[in-house]
Amino acid sequence: MDRETDDVIDTVGPRLRALRRDRGITLADLAATTGVSESTLSRLESGQRRATLELLLPLARTYDVPLDDLVGAPRTGDPRIHLKPIRRFGMVFIPLSRRPGGVQAFKMIIPARPEPLEPTPQTHEGVEWLYVLNGHLRLVLGDRDLTLPPGEAAEFDTSLPHWLGSADGGVVELLILFGLQGVRAHVRADSHRSSRGTAR
């Protein structure tokens, strides 16, 4: 992670604390609203816990502010969306939406590696929909190990252990829609479209 990204992440905790206090919300109230434990929120505000998308998204929805406001991205006065990459876990996430509520959209880039990574499945609240643009995605979902080529999609409940990586060590580019439990992407297709490659 570069120094500029580190500096931004280091300011997230104090910004979250100030925002919560300005709104007159207690940690207990915030935990009940977001589903994030009170101890995790406290560590996040004190800087003892690293900010992740999974933690910041429910906070952005609760405070009804764009993610940019939580991480302190500078305002440019330009109405166009300026895509500022976020680097996490060796991957690059490019926000494609600024709405604090509803479904969040990202472009995700998994870099090429000489040696494939060992899957480390994670769980969190929400529903994820993804579409492979380029490369071959390896999706480990529960006890299933899938390879999705370009043009294939998957939708799954993120409370299931899951992991995304490159199936062949090459670069993978994909679009991701992430929403709360009960919020799913609605895809309209004609009767000739195949559902092959969709994990439910």
Side-chain angles (χ1 to χ4, degrees):
M1 189 177 294
D2 57 41
R3 180 52 186 259
E4 180 182 355
T5 304
D6 276 333
D7 290 344
V8 169
I9 294 300
D10 288 343
T11 65
V12 170
R15 186 174 292 104
L16 290 175
R17 180 184 290 115
L19 184 59
R20 178 177 59 79
R21 289 177 175 172
D22 286 346
R23 301 290 177 91
I25 301 173
T26 66
L27 281 173
D29 290 338
L30 190 58
T33 303
T34 62
V36 179
S37 72
E38 191 172 341
S39 61
T40 296
L41 292 170
S42 177
R43 292 199 306 274
L44 185 62
E45 289 187 358
S46 66
Q48 296 174 4
R49 175 71 181 262
R50 277 304 237 204
T52 64
L53 288 173
E54 290 79 15
L55 292 175
L56 292 177
L57 284 172
L59 291 171
R61 294 187 194 101
T62 298
Y63 293 134
D64 194 26
V65 297
L67 272 174
D68 284 358
D69 287 359
L70 294 187
V71 299
R75 295 287 186 181
T76 65
D78 190 329
R80 295 171 297 177
I81 296 175
H82 292 266
L83 306 178
K84 186 176 179 64
I86 301 169
R87 291 172 174 80
R88 295 283 185 277
F89 316 116
M91 296 178 284
V92 178
F93 297 85
I94 303 173
L96 301 178
S97 62
R98 294 170 58 93
R99 291 176 56 234
V103 176
Q104 301 291 318
F106 299 89
K107 180 178 180 181
M108 177 179 172
I109 302 172
I110 302 172
R113 293 183 178 275
E115 296 291 334
L117 292 176
E118 190 67 26
T120 53
Q122 305 289 328
T123 62
H124 53 87
E125 293 299 313
V127 174
E128 194 165 296
W129 182 91
L130 58 84
Y131 178 84
V132 181
L133 296 168
N134 292 298
H136 288 77
L137 176 71
R138 182 181 179 191
L139 170 62
V140 176
L141 183 62
D143 58 1
R144 302 178 68 185
D145 196 331
L146 307 169
T147 297
L148 280 68
E152 289 201 337
E155 183 183 35
F156 54 91
D157 186 325
T158 54
S159 64
L160 287 172
H162 60 282
W163 179 86
L164 307 177
S166 174
D168 55 13
V171 175
V172 183
E173 298 182 28
L174 58 152
L175 294 177
I176 291 181
L177 300 180
F178 178 80
L180 294 171
Q181 293 289 351
V183 178
R184 292 184 178 274
H186 297 282
V187 180
R188 179 175 296 175
D190 60 35
S191 59
H192 301 293
R193 184 177 175 85
S194 168
S195 61
R196 177 175 171 268
T198 302
R200 299 297 290 263

